[in-house]
């Protein structure tokens, strides 16, 4: 459960927070009427997020924040401020506030900000460990991998612990780049300072620069007040920049300058602002290719590439699959005591599959299979269709296979996997192929397969094929 703490000397505000957040199940709200009171309560309650008023009797919000930061560098703090005191709030942002909100506040906006800040808080506090996990250990929070390529990654994380170098993490989508970035942070000297993750691909281009570097009042239409960007907010901490190759060139130049000189200007300003940020960047593209195509600035690439961590694709380290599956089973089984298992032949299928979506795809497959499984073990039948389809394709792949040879192989496979309904599985593959071949024309597809159109329709429905074709 997330713990939210409100500090405000006005009883009305405390009351409206009780109304908005008091009844939410996943949230526990506590309130304090002054900064002094809050500073006594915080070490005991250990809130995940603090929201406080700037102007209060006794010590004000900024001083409260400063004193809080002496013993707690991470817990995000959102400041509430009336219009007249925006400048004060900005000062407070420089002391490490997460964000501020104007009074009177708009409830949906407040709720959104609270949920974003709680996410950030969770990320910061979640320790990602790369120690090999023993069987007994609670499998929570770990990077799984006994393969030699993952052991290499763990070594690099260890070697980086005493360094403040910029790191570039590359690798296909779902290979664990973000997990490794957090492990590097958790093992670094900056682990007590904040960690902010920014996905440049998820932020519209025109907003990205102001998100990163902030903007001056009046820098563009809608910039009604000064805004502090992530690089300024995260002074002393670590920034994880995801999808770095997708950034506009001008923004890349600005990042390069921060890395080299530790200074930047806010959008629409000419005053240099100093910051000390450790940068960890990631991309799922081949950076060398992006450089040669002009999408990734060469100078920035060389500056980031000081330490390079290349995440191996899951298909290159299939020996890690059983342990990953056990990890996800223990994590996602609905009942901690009744952890489900997986049948050996189903596990074998998982181990043979190529996993184009890497660990993320495996994680989703296990999660879905857990929902589908009726007994206490996952069977072949509970696995996603793609996995069975690939197996069928592999079986039929040999050149020079005649129909007899192929059906003998299929038969053998079916005999070893009694819970798999082999005829429907093959039928499904054939229907998909016929539909792909005819561009979805059901009359022609039915003709090729030698069945009536009504039967074809039934099969499409039965095998939930429509969904799969429209995805492509
Ligand atoms: N070695 C691992 N052990 C346990 N879980 C892992 C491992 N690698 C990845 N995961 C899990 O797989 C999912 C995807 O990982 P992550 O988000 O780090 O991938 P990514 O490389 O950043 O992908 P993308 O390029 O799509 O952003 C996450 O839920 C993560 O926890
Ligand atoms: Mg990622």
């Amino acid at each position: 459960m997330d713990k939210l703490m409100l500090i405000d000397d006005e009883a009305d505000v405390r009351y409206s927070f009780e109304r908005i957040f008091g009844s939410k199940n996943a949230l526990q709200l506590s309130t304090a009427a002054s900064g002094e009171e809050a500073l006594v309560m915080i070490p005991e309650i250990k809130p995940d997020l603090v929201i406080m008023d700037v102007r209060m009797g006794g010590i004000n919000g900024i001083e409260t924040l400063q004193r809080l930061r002496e013993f707690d560098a991470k817990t995000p703090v959102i400041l509430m401020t009336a219009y007249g005191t925006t400048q004060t709030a900005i000062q407070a942002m420089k002391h490490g506030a997460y964000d501020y909100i104007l009074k009177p506040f708009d409830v949906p906006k407040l709720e959104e900000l609270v949920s974003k800040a709680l996410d950030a808080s969770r990320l910061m506090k979640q320790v990602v460990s790369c120690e090999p996990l023993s069987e007994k250990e609670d499998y929570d929070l770990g990077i799984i991998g006994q393969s030699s390529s993952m052991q290499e990654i763990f070594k690099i994380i260890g070697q980086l612990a005493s360094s403040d170098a910029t790191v570039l993490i590359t690798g296909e989508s779902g290979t664990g780049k973000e997990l490794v970035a957090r492990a590097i942070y958790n093992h670094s000297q900056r682990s007590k300072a904040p960690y902010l993750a920014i996905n440049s691909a998820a932020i519209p281009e025109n907003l990205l620069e102001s998100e990163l570097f902030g903007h001056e009042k009046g820098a563009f239409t809608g910039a009604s007040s000064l805004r502090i960007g992530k690089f300024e907010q995260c002074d002393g901490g670590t920034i994880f920049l995801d999808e770095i190759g997708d950034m506009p060139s001008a923004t890349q130049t600005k990042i390069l300058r921060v890395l080299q000189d530790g200074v930047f200007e806010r959008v629409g300003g000419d005053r240099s602002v100093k910051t000390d940020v450790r940068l960890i960047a990631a991309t799922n593209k081949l950076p060398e290719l992006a450089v040669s195509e002009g999408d990734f600035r060469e100078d920035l690439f060389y500056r980031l590439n000081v330490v390079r961590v290349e995440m191996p694709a899951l298909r290159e380290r299939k020996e890690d699959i059983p342990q990953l599956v056990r990890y996800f089973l223990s994590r996602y089984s609905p009942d901690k005591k009744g952890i489900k298992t997986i049948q050996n032949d189903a596990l074998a299928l998982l181990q043979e599959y190529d996993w184009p979506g890497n660990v993320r795809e495996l994680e989703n497959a296990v999660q879905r299979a857990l929902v589908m499984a009726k007994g206490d073990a996952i069977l072949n039948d509970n696995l996603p269709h793609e996995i069975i389809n690939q197996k069928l394709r592999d079986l039929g792949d040999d050149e020079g296979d005649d129909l007899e040879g192929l059906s003998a192989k299929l038969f053998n496979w079916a005999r070893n996997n009694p819970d798999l309904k082999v005829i429907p599985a093959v039928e499904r593959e054939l229907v998909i192929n016929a539909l792909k071949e005819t561009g979805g024309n059901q009359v022609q597809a039915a003709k090729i397969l030698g069945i009536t159109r009504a039967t074809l329709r039934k099969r499409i429905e039965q095998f939930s094929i429509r969904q799969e074709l429209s995805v492509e």
Side-chain angles (χ1 to χ4, degrees), residues 25 36 39-40 48 158 164 170 177 182 197 236 240 309 355 375 408 415 458 472:
N25 283 334
E36 289 90 337
L39 287 169
V40 176
D48 301 291
D164 216 19
T170 58
K177 296 186 293 296
R182 265 192 287 143
F240 174 59
V309 181
W355 301 108
R415 188 163 51 188
K458 239 188 261 161
E472 299 194 0

Side-chain angles (χ1 to χ4, degrees), residues 32 42 73 135 162 199 209 215 231 259 284 308 319 325 345 370 397 409 434 437 443 453 460:
I42 287 174
E135 286 295 331
S162 56
N199 183 348
E209 205 164 317
H215 58 68
F231 272 92
L259 290 178
N284 56 24
R308 171 86 160 260
E319 64 268 40
V325 170
D345 40 329
L370 276 172
D397 247 2
K409 274 193 204 163
E437 192 64 35
V443 177
R453 188 167 169 203
I460 293 177

Side-chain angles (χ1 to χ4, degrees), residues 19-231:
R19 253 192 8 230
I20 303 169
F21 296 105
S23 58
K24 290 206 189 335
N25 283 334
L27 211 67
Q28 185 192 316
L29 176 72
S30 39
T31 58
S34 71
E36 289 90 337
E37 190 189 337
L39 287 169
V40 176
M41 289 168 71
I42 287 174
E44 253 171 62
I45 297 180
K46 298 194 175 63
D48 301 291
L49 172 64
V50 174
I51 302 185
M52 66 175 143
D53 195 22
V54 173
R55 221 181 262 176
M56 289 186 288
I59 59 169
N60 67 19
I62 292 174
E63 205 175 328
T64 309
L65 173 62
Q66 276 172 317
R67 290 204 201 164
L68 171 66
R69 284 293 175 249
E70 283 165 17
F71 61 90
D72 172 355
K74 286 189 184 180
T75 306
V77 172
I78 295 174
L79 289 147
M80 288 184 302
T81 167
Y83 275 101
T85 54
T86 321
Q87 287 307 322
T88 332
I90 285 160
Q91 282 305 318
M93 295 282 292
K94 290 188 180 169
H95 293 291
Y98 175 81
D99 211 334
Y100 62 88
I101 187 159
L102 297 178
K103 278 206 251 185
F105 45 76
D106 174 50
V107 175
K109 250 194 201 147
L110 175 68
E111 286 174 321
E112 197 193 317
L113 188 60
V114 164
S115 117
K116 255 176 71 180
L118 283 171
D119 284 344
S121 173
R122 232 170 278 132
L123 270 178
M124 259 188 259
K125 288 182 180 165
Q126 184 183 2
V127 177
V128 180
S129 136
C130 54
E131 310 293 310
L133 296 156
S134 71
E135 286 295 331
K136 277 194 264 67
E137 215 165 347
D138 178 13
Y139 266 131
D140 241 15
L141 318 171
I143 307 181
I144 308 294
Q146 289 174 328
S147 57
S148 55
S149 51
M150 283 308 287
Q151 293 300 319
E152 281 308 309
I153 303 278
F154 297 155
K155 265 188 227 156
I156 300 176
I157 296 174
Q159 284 160 0
L160 279 171
S162 56
S163 142
D164 216 19
T166 303
V167 182
L168 180 62
I169 308 175
T170 58
E172 290 177 20
S173 185
T175 46
K177 296 186 293 296
E178 178 148 8
L179 216 53
V180 165
R182 265 192 287 143
I184 294 174
Y185 157 72
N186 279 131
H187 288 84
S188 76
Q189 297 147 324
R190 292 180 185 240
S191 65
K192 299 262 177 314
Y195 168 90
L196 285 179
I198 302 158
N199 183 348
S200 11
I203 301 171
E205 268 195 19
N206 56 335
L207 296 183
L208 180 62
E209 205 164 317
S210 114
E211 181 79 16
L212 293 177
F213 301 106
H215 58 68
E216 300 285 346
K217 182 175 178 173
F220 45 83
T221 346
S224 53
S225 61
L226 180 85
R227 172 148 194 105
I228 303 293
K230 299 284 187 235
F231 272 92

Side-chain angles (χ1 to χ4, degrees), residues 182-456:
R182 265 192 287 143
I184 294 174
Y185 157 72
N186 279 131
H187 288 84
S188 76
Q189 297 147 324
R190 292 180 185 240
S191 65
K192 299 262 177 314
Y195 168 90
L196 285 179
I198 302 158
N199 183 348
S200 11
I203 301 171
E205 268 195 19
N206 56 335
L207 296 183
L208 180 62
E209 205 164 317
S210 114
E211 181 79 16
L212 293 177
F213 301 106
H215 58 68
E216 300 285 346
K217 182 175 178 173
F220 45 83
T221 346
S224 53
S225 61
L226 180 85
R227 172 148 194 105
I228 303 293
K230 299 284 187 235
F231 272 92
E232 200 167 342
Q233 225 178 86
C234 200
D235 195 12
T238 305
I239 284 189
F240 174 59
L241 258 186
D242 212 353
E243 301 314 333
I244 186 121
D246 289 333
M247 279 188 322
S249 178
T251 314
Q252 294 186 25
T253 312
K254 240 171 145 156
I255 288 176
L256 180 64
R257 183 144 169 265
V258 176
L259 290 178
Q260 278 169 345
D261 309 327
V263 292
F264 64 91
E265 286 87 37
R266 301 190 192 107
V267 175
D270 46 20
R271 205 162 52 80
S272 294
V273 180
K274 266 205 173 73
T275 189
D276 165 33
V277 167
R278 197 256 181 103
L279 191 69
I280 303 177
T283 174
N284 56 24
K285 309 210 169 74
L286 272 180
E288 284 80 3
L289 191 70
V291 167
S292 71
E293 283 175 353
D295 293 334
F296 195 166
R297 286 191 59 115
E298 197 170 4
D299 42 10
L300 177 62
F301 167 65
Y302 283 121
R303 184 63 187 70
L304 288 174
N305 206 31
V306 178
V307 179
R308 171 86 160 260
V309 181
E310 285 182 65
M311 298 303 298
L314 186 54
R315 64 183 164 281
E316 291 158 7
R317 50 179 186 104
K318 288 189 167 176
E319 64 268 40
D320 285 339
I321 290 176
Q323 206 195 3
L324 278 163
V325 170
R326 278 201 299 277
Y327 170 65
F328 292 133
L329 282 176
S330 79
R331 219 171 143 180
Y332 296 116
S333 286
D335 173 5
K336 280 275 175 223
K337 273 177 250 134
I339 289 175
K340 297 204 181 193
T341 54
I342 183 164
Q343 266 196 348
N344 281 340
D345 40 329
L347 182 62
L349 267 183
L350 293 180
Q351 213 166 350
E352 282 175 55
Y353 183 61
D354 272 344
W355 301 108
N358 294 296
V359 185
R360 182 182 289 113
E361 189 184 3
L362 176 64
E363 183 173 3
N364 291 339
V366 172
Q367 257 180 303
R368 262 189 293 163
L370 276 172
V371 176
M372 308 293 283
K374 299 219 172 56
D376 57 5
I378 290 176
L379 314 176
N380 278 335
D381 217 20
N382 308 129
L383 300 179
H385 291 304
E386 311 84 84
I387 294 168
I388 292 157
N389 287 2
Q390 181 182 305
K391 178 70 192 177
L392 287 174
R393 244 171 277 140
D394 290 351
L395 282 174
D397 247 2
D398 272 348
E399 296 269 336
D401 241 347
D402 53 13
L403 195 55
E404 224 170 286
L406 178 60
S407 79
K409 274 193 204 163
L410 274 172
F411 180 72
N412 262 330
W413 183 53
R415 188 163 51 188
N416 296 330
N417 297 281
D419 66 292
L420 187 92
K421 298 172 190 75
V422 70
I423 291 178
V426 173
E427 203 177 351
R428 183 172 193 280
E429 249 315 73
L430 286 171
V431 171
I432 289 177
N433 275 336
L435 285 168
K436 275 188 188 159
E437 192 64 35
T438 58
N441 183 321
Q442 295 188 3
V443 177
Q444 278 178 34
K447 210 178 254 171
I448 293 176
L449 296 170
I451 52 178
T452 64
R453 188 167 169 203
T455 308
L456 178 69

